[in-house]
mmCIF file of all heavy atoms in Angstrom:
data_model
loop_
_atom_site.group_PDB
_atom_site.id
_atom_site.type_symbol
_atom_site.label_atom_id
_atom_site.label_comp_id
_atom_site.label_asym_id
_atom_site.label_seq_id
_atom_site.Cartn_x
_atom_site.Cartn_y
_atom_site.Cartn_z
ATOM 1 N N LEU U 218 -2.666 13.018 7.470
ATOM 2 C CA LEU U 218 -2.008 14.212 6.966
ATOM 3 C C LEU U 218 -2.922 15.423 7.105
ATOM 4 O O LEU U 218 -2.491 16.579 7.460
ATOM 5 C CB LEU U 218 -1.597 14.037 5.535
ATOM 6 C CG LEU U 218 -0.456 13.069 5.216
ATOM 7 C CD1 LEU U 218 -0.262 12.789 3.788
ATOM 8 C CD2 LEU U 218 0.833 13.651 5.836
ATOM 9 N N VAL U 219 -4.209 15.259 6.895
ATOM 10 C CA VAL U 219 -5.169 16.392 6.964
ATOM 11 C C VAL U 219 -5.332 16.851 8.428
ATOM 12 O O VAL U 219 -5.400 18.035 8.703
ATOM 13 C CB VAL U 219 -6.554 15.949 6.383
ATOM 14 C CG1 VAL U 219 -7.616 17.016 6.742
ATOM 15 C CG2 VAL U 219 -6.414 15.890 4.844
ATOM 16 N N THR U 220 -5.343 15.922 9.356
ATOM 17 C CA THR U 220 -5.599 16.262 10.768
ATOM 18 C C THR U 220 -4.391 17.036 11.392
ATOM 19 O O THR U 220 -4.552 17.657 12.442
ATOM 20 C CB THR U 220 -5.846 14.984 11.631
ATOM 21 O OG1 THR U 220 -4.773 14.051 11.402
ATOM 22 C CG2 THR U 220 -7.150 14.371 11.222
ATOM 23 N N ARG U 221 -3.276 17.023 10.733
ATOM 24 C CA ARG U 221 -2.099 17.842 11.270
ATOM 25 C C ARG U 221 -2.404 19.324 11.167
ATOM 26 O O ARG U 221 -1.770 20.116 11.941
ATOM 27 C CB ARG U 221 -0.859 17.543 10.393
ATOM 28 C CG ARG U 221 -0.348 16.109 10.598
ATOM 29 C CD ARG U 221 0.879 15.877 9.733
ATOM 30 N NE ARG U 221 1.370 14.510 9.820
ATOM 31 C CZ ARG U 221 2.394 14.021 9.100
ATOM 32 N NH1 ARG U 221 3.036 14.816 8.243
ATOM 33 N NH2 ARG U 221 2.755 12.796 9.273
ATOM 34 N N THR U 222 -3.288 19.755 10.278
ATOM 35 C CA THR U 222 -3.591 21.137 10.145
ATOM 36 C C THR U 222 -4.870 21.548 10.908
ATOM 37 O O THR U 222 -5.248 22.747 10.869
ATOM 38 C CB THR U 222 -3.823 21.498 8.654
ATOM 39 O OG1 THR U 222 -4.965 20.729 8.140
ATOM 40 C CG2 THR U 222 -2.642 21.109 7.836
ATOM 41 N N LEU U 223 -5.477 20.661 11.644
ATOM 42 C CA LEU U 223 -6.651 20.935 12.433
ATOM 43 C C LEU U 223 -6.425 21.055 13.902
ATOM 44 O O LEU U 223 -5.363 20.692 14.427
ATOM 45 C CB LEU U 223 -7.688 19.768 12.179
ATOM 46 C CG LEU U 223 -8.102 19.471 10.726
ATOM 47 C CD1 LEU U 223 -9.051 18.294 10.718
ATOM 48 C CD2 LEU U 223 -8.818 20.685 10.087
ATOM 49 N N ARG U 224 -7.421 21.649 14.607
ATOM 50 C CA ARG U 224 -7.333 21.697 16.039
ATOM 51 C C ARG U 224 -7.462 20.293 16.636
ATOM 52 O O ARG U 224 -7.931 19.374 15.946
ATOM 53 C CB ARG U 224 -8.506 22.549 16.613
ATOM 54 C CG ARG U 224 -8.439 23.985 16.256
ATOM 55 C CD ARG U 224 -9.520 24.830 16.978
ATOM 56 N NE ARG U 224 -10.828 24.290 16.721
ATOM 57 C CZ ARG U 224 -11.630 23.802 17.674
ATOM 58 N NH1 ARG U 224 -11.196 23.668 18.914
ATOM 59 N NH2 ARG U 224 -12.827 23.343 17.391
ATOM 60 N N ASP U 225 -6.970 20.114 17.814
ATOM 61 C CA ASP U 225 -6.865 18.773 18.413
ATOM 62 C C ASP U 225 -8.235 18.118 18.483
ATOM 63 O O ASP U 225 -8.408 16.927 18.125
ATOM 64 C CB ASP U 225 -6.263 18.880 19.811
ATOM 65 C CG ASP U 225 -6.072 17.492 20.463
ATOM 66 O OD1 ASP U 225 -5.409 16.675 19.859
ATOM 67 O OD2 ASP U 225 -6.603 17.280 21.549
ATOM 68 N N THR U 226 -9.267 18.871 18.925
ATOM 69 C CA THR U 226 -10.616 18.260 19.005
ATOM 70 C C THR U 226 -11.131 17.905 17.661
ATOM 71 O O THR U 226 -11.719 16.811 17.468
ATOM 72 C CB THR U 226 -11.575 19.265 19.721
ATOM 73 O OG1 THR U 226 -11.045 19.632 20.978
ATOM 74 C CG2 THR U 226 -12.943 18.604 19.941
ATOM 75 N N ASP U 227 -10.981 18.777 16.673
ATOM 76 C CA ASP U 227 -11.453 18.488 15.293
ATOM 77 C C ASP U 227 -10.761 17.265 14.729
ATOM 78 O O ASP U 227 -11.362 16.417 14.052
ATOM 79 C CB ASP U 227 -11.227 19.670 14.423
ATOM 80 C CG ASP U 227 -12.015 20.888 14.789
ATOM 81 O OD1 ASP U 227 -12.880 20.725 15.704
ATOM 82 O OD2 ASP U 227 -11.798 21.974 14.262
ATOM 83 N N ALA U 228 -9.425 17.172 14.992
ATOM 84 C CA ALA U 228 -8.694 16.075 14.471
ATOM 85 C C ALA U 228 -9.147 14.706 15.048
ATOM 86 O O ALA U 228 -9.324 13.739 14.349
ATOM 87 C CB ALA U 228 -7.179 16.209 14.764
ATOM 88 N N ARG U 229 -9.449 14.665 16.342
ATOM 89 C CA ARG U 229 -9.889 13.436 17.006
ATOM 90 C C ARG U 229 -11.258 12.995 16.504
ATOM 91 O O ARG U 229 -11.513 11.800 16.312
ATOM 92 C CB ARG U 229 -9.879 13.624 18.516
ATOM 93 C CG ARG U 229 -8.494 13.476 19.171
ATOM 94 C CD ARG U 229 -8.585 13.606 20.670
ATOM 95 N NE ARG U 229 -8.807 14.991 21.052
ATOM 96 C CZ ARG U 229 -9.059 15.339 22.320
ATOM 97 N NH1 ARG U 229 -9.133 14.443 23.266
ATOM 98 N NH2 ARG U 229 -9.329 16.606 22.610
ATOM 99 N N ILE U 230 -12.117 13.969 16.279
ATOM 100 C CA ILE U 230 -13.483 13.691 15.793
ATOM 101 C C ILE U 230 -13.380 13.106 14.349
ATOM 102 O O ILE U 230 -14.051 12.136 13.992
ATOM 103 C CB ILE U 230 -14.372 14.901 15.870
ATOM 104 C CG1 ILE U 230 -14.713 15.216 17.319
ATOM 105 C CG2 ILE U 230 -15.646 14.693 15.055
ATOM 106 C CD1 ILE U 230 -15.551 16.479 17.517
ATOM 107 N N LEU U 231 -12.532 13.733 13.495
ATOM 108 C CA LEU U 231 -12.426 13.279 12.148
ATOM 109 C C LEU U 231 -11.871 11.885 12.141
ATOM 110 O O LEU U 231 -12.309 11.025 11.323
ATOM 111 C CB LEU U 231 -11.532 14.238 11.367
ATOM 112 C CG LEU U 231 -11.518 14.093 9.830
ATOM 113 C CD1 LEU U 231 -12.871 14.488 9.308
ATOM 114 C CD2 LEU U 231 -10.427 14.942 9.218
ATOM 115 N N GLN U 232 -10.848 11.576 12.970
ATOM 116 C CA GLN U 232 -10.273 10.247 12.976
ATOM 117 C C GLN U 232 -11.280 9.244 13.477
ATOM 118 O O GLN U 232 -11.373 8.051 13.007
ATOM 119 C CB GLN U 232 -9.065 10.234 13.903
ATOM 120 C CG GLN U 232 -7.840 10.960 13.258
ATOM 121 C CD GLN U 232 -6.690 11.150 14.214
ATOM 122 O OE1 GLN U 232 -6.824 10.863 15.425
ATOM 123 N NE2 GLN U 232 -5.537 11.497 13.731
#
Side-chain angles (χ1 to χ4, degrees):
L218 290 172
V219 167
T220 51
R221 293 178 183 177
T222 62
L223 301 177
R224 294 188 303 115
D225 182 57
T226 305
D227 296 353
R229 281 182 288 172
I230 289 178
L231 194 67
Q232 290 173 347

